[in-house]
Amino acid sequence: MKKKRTIRVVLAAVAAGLLLCAPKPQVVKAEGSWENVTEGGIIYQCVTDTESDMYEKALVYGVNDDFKSNGTIADIQSSVTDDKGKEYPVIAIGGELAGAFSGCTKLNKVNIPNSVLSIGEGAFSECESLQTITIPDSVTDVEGQAFIDCTSLSSVKLSAKIKSLKKQTFDGCTSLKSIEIPASVESIDGAFDDNLATVTFASGSKLTTIKSAFTYTSIKSIKLPDSVTTIGDDSFGGCKELVSVELPTSLKSIGKAAFRACPKLTTVVVPDGTTEIGEEAFNSYIEDKQSGLTTITIPKSVTTIAENAFNSSNPITMYGYTGSKAESYAKAKSNITFIALDKPVTIKNAYFSVTVPASWVGKYDLYTDPTEKTPSFVSFYSQKCYTETNGQAGWLFAIATFTDESYKELPAYKVLKKSGGQTYVFEEPTDVQTEGVSAEARAEYGELLKDAEAICKTLKVTAAPNKPVIKSVKNTKGKKAKITIKKKISGAAGYEYSYDTSKKFKSAKSKSAKKTSLTLTKLKKKKTYYVRVRAYKTVNGAKIYSSWSAVKSVKIKK
């Protein structure tokens, strides 16, 4: 959805027979008294009204016809002199009744002197050839829509003394892709166009409040300064490219629809000290191709969460603390799974379980093979490293289950336990997993890795069935052999019968059956066959095997 825009065009008076640069000039009666001075096609209004705050000062009022049609460079004077020889400092560009350079479509360069304190509403609106602008540090105020629809504007240097960025200041500036916000800015209210992709903040930022600040922009990631206390309504609403946001430690509240319809924003950590999460704050529209938020961490300090703050359909994992608002909120929602940050977490599959310490919660990711219906291994990753490298680094270790000896082909492994026909193995990377990540991510990776051995010690495996005993293997007519198990194994779902002409079962064939006997067919006459059997039980679709029975042999004579 494209954000709606309104353009307020202030029409100035026709002074001294010169047309001003408003899109539709008309005569407007102005109060007070002034004198107009024109230099380089720019009309300056020198205020002579003794009761005006602008007394004995001048502002850029507009331009003449020739400049409006052909002017390319605006050299704004720091002061102008009237026909009586009186000098007036120029302190403003545009104002309540002054269109300034609005609609000057050929204007491509502006020189603003240090005498200027303010830039009025719409002062440079629709200057579609203007490519760069430097606002000097003397300027403390830029009104909304000041640069609206400057479609070629690609570079902006803001004043280091400006206090706020107001509605639609740079709306319609489709070429403006990046901007640095000065430390002096205390609030931002819907100032930018959809194409803005990169925002940085000067050191020592005083920014405290944002509202509709970056709605519908193309920002992919952003780190808000540790001065922001309020993320107001719709601040990042509709940011369809937003992947990551680092919220400041100073944050107190997240407003209504603050991150609504951000389909690529899947993980958010709300900092301690935040108290409120508003309506639809993280609600992604269902029609978006991406699912939106899947993981969020909420501190104890949050005491208010709006009923519809999150999607009601997408599965969400919510990390929080026992007895917190996050816990009670999550438990009332069928699509939200709550995981306590102050308790260890047990990770379980059909084969085994391990427990990670509470200090790990919210800092690690898990990976299993998506092609396996019942995964036989779990890989652990450092969340920071994994995110910073788009999944290319951060692997800590894996715990895997093998039913054969193929684990011996792994470059680095350690056998943790053998149970029945399963071998449980610890595998670790042999290459560096912190290449190209931040110092913070490297430090966290190191801390997590210290717990690897302790986590392995918590390994609990699914009990395997008892090993079966072969009662007999008999050759029967037609080059067949009947295998009979001595007795049924308790809890077994079936048996795997393995046979080969090699004692080492190098080319073994296997057949499965639920019964305690099986007849092998199409055997070769005069050959000796070696036979073994193991039982298995089924857990969530996975087969848990017993050890192999003792080997018996049979010679095929008939």
Side-chain angles (χ1 to χ4, degrees), residues 33-303:
S33 57
W34 67 86
E35 290 188 17
N36 288 334
V37 174
T38 302
E39 289 193 21
I42 302 172
I43 302 170
Y44 300 87
Q45 189 177 79
C46 303
V47 180
T48 58
D49 184 353
T50 57
E51 295 183 3
S52 171
D53 292 337
M54 288 282 292
Y55 176 58
E56 294 188 332
K57 298 178 180 64
L59 59 85
V60 175
Y61 190 53
V63 297
N64 62 21
D65 268 350
D66 183 58
F67 190 98
K68 182 176 181 181
S69 300
N70 304 303
T72 59
I73 299 175
D75 279 316
I76 300 170
Q77 302 300 303
S78 60
S79 64
V80 292
T81 304
D82 65 13
D83 55 5
K84 298 176 183 178
K86 183 169 179 58
E87 188 176 0
Y88 295 80
V90 178
I91 66 167
I93 302 172
E96 191 170 341
L97 296 175
F101 298 97
S102 177
C104 294
T105 57
K106 292 185 178 180
L107 182 64
N108 59 43
K109 184 176 181 180
V110 178
N111 296 317
I112 303 175
N114 289 326
S115 61
V116 173
L117 305 178
S118 66
I119 298 175
E121 183 174 335
F124 293 94
S125 64
E126 299 178 357
C127 292
E128 58 189 42
S129 297
L130 185 62
Q131 296 179 17
T132 64
I133 191 75
T134 297
I135 301 174
D137 291 347
S138 57
V139 174
T140 59
D141 182 58
V142 177
E143 289 296 327
Q145 302 182 20
F147 297 91
I148 193 169
D149 289 332
C150 292
T151 54
S152 298
L153 187 61
S154 60
S155 175
V156 174
K157 186 179 186 302
L158 294 168
S159 162
K161 293 184 180 178
I162 191 172
K163 299 292 184 182
S164 64
L165 293 175
K166 300 175 182 179
K167 278 186 179 296
Q168 299 181 316
T169 301
F170 296 101
D171 196 10
C173 296
T174 53
S175 298
L176 186 62
K177 304 296 177 64
S178 64
I179 196 165
E180 181 179 74
I181 309 298
S184 58
V185 173
E186 297 174 1
S187 64
I188 303 174
D189 186 0
F192 301 103
D193 186 79
D194 301 7
N195 288 350
L196 185 71
T198 304
V199 178
T200 55
F201 299 89
S203 177
S205 176
K206 296 178 182 178
L207 182 66
T208 59
T209 304
I210 59 175
K211 181 181 179 183
S212 302
F214 305 106
T215 309
Y216 296 111
T217 59
S218 301
I219 294 171
K220 292 182 179 180
S221 64
I222 191 167
K223 180 180 180 180
L224 294 173
D226 284 330
S227 55
V228 174
T229 58
T230 304
I231 297 178
D233 296 354
D234 215 30
S235 288
F236 293 90
C239 291
K240 293 185 181 294
E241 300 304 317
L242 185 63
V243 174
S244 67
V245 58
E246 187 171 336
L247 301 180
T249 57
S250 53
L251 187 63
K252 299 299 179 186
S253 65
I254 299 173
K256 180 179 179 180
F259 295 93
R260 181 174 59 184
C262 296
K264 293 183 180 179
L265 184 64
T266 60
T267 302
V268 171
V269 177
V270 179
D272 191 24
T274 307
T275 60
E276 181 180 1
I277 300 175
E279 295 178 11
E280 297 187 313
F282 296 97
N283 200 335
S284 289
Y285 295 129
I286 294 174
E287 62 263 33
D288 285 323
K289 293 180 181 179
Q290 296 86 0
S291 61
L293 193 72
T294 58
T295 304
I296 188 166
T297 302
I298 299 179
K300 288 180 181 178
S301 58
V302 172
T303 55

Side-chain angles (χ1 to χ4, degrees), residues 183-449:
S184 58
V185 173
E186 297 174 1
S187 64
I188 303 174
D189 186 0
F192 301 103
D193 186 79
D194 301 7
N195 288 350
L196 185 71
T198 304
V199 178
T200 55
F201 299 89
S203 177
S205 176
K206 296 178 182 178
L207 182 66
T208 59
T209 304
I210 59 175
K211 181 181 179 183
S212 302
F214 305 106
T215 309
Y216 296 111
T217 59
S218 301
I219 294 171
K220 292 182 179 180
S221 64
I222 191 167
K223 180 180 180 180
L224 294 173
D226 284 330
S227 55
V228 174
T229 58
T230 304
I231 297 178
D233 296 354
D234 215 30
S235 288
F236 293 90
C239 291
K240 293 185 181 294
E241 300 304 317
L242 185 63
V243 174
S244 67
V245 58
E246 187 171 336
L247 301 180
T249 57
S250 53
L251 187 63
K252 299 299 179 186
S253 65
I254 299 173
K256 180 179 179 180
F259 295 93
R260 181 174 59 184
C262 296
K264 293 183 180 179
L265 184 64
T266 60
T267 302
V268 171
V269 177
V270 179
D272 191 24
T274 307
T275 60
E276 181 180 1
I277 300 175
E279 295 178 11
E280 297 187 313
F282 296 97
N283 200 335
S284 289
Y285 295 129
I286 294 174
E287 62 263 33
D288 285 323
K289 293 180 181 179
Q290 296 86 0
S291 61
L293 193 72
T294 58
T295 304
I296 188 166
T297 302
I298 299 179
K300 288 180 181 178
S301 58
V302 172
T303 55
T304 302
I305 304 176
E307 178 66 21
N308 61 345
F310 304 94
N311 279 7
S312 60
S313 56
N314 295 337
I316 296 173
T317 299
M318 184 174 287
Y319 294 97
Y321 293 86
T322 305
S324 67
K325 176 64 180 178
E327 181 180 30
S328 61
Y329 180 90
K331 289 185 175 179
K333 303 291 183 180
S334 60
N335 65 310
I336 299 179
T337 301
F338 180 79
I339 298 178
L341 286 164
D342 48 357
K343 289 184 177 180
V345 177
T346 298
I347 298 156
K348 187 176 183 180
N349 63 19
Y351 298 97
F352 63 85
S353 68
V354 289
T355 300
V356 300
S359 60
W360 269 49
V361 179
K363 297 179 181 178
Y364 72 95
D365 283 326
L366 297 176
Y367 175 80
T368 57
D369 187 347
T371 65
E372 288 188 326
K373 290 184 178 180
T374 306
S376 58
F377 74 92
V378 176
S379 281
F380 294 82
Y381 282 81
S382 161
Q383 194 177 86
K384 280 187 183 296
C385 292
Y386 190 89
T387 301
E388 287 184 12
T389 61
N390 196 27
Q392 300 304 304
W395 181 36
L396 293 159
F397 61 88
I399 296 176
T401 310
F402 292 83
T403 56
D404 54 24
E405 294 189 341
S406 59
Y407 63 86
K408 292 181 179 179
E409 299 173 7
L410 297 174
Y413 73 92
K414 176 183 177 182
V415 174
L416 297 175
K417 191 169 186 177
K418 291 188 176 183
S419 173
Q422 286 68 230
T423 302
Y424 298 89
V425 172
F426 169 85
E427 183 187 3
E428 59 185 340
T430 55
D431 54 344
V432 177
Q433 291 291 309
T434 53
E435 189 74 31
V437 304
S438 65
E440 185 181 8
R442 280 197 303 275
E444 185 168 285
Y445 181 90
E447 287 300 313
L448 294 173
L449 200 58

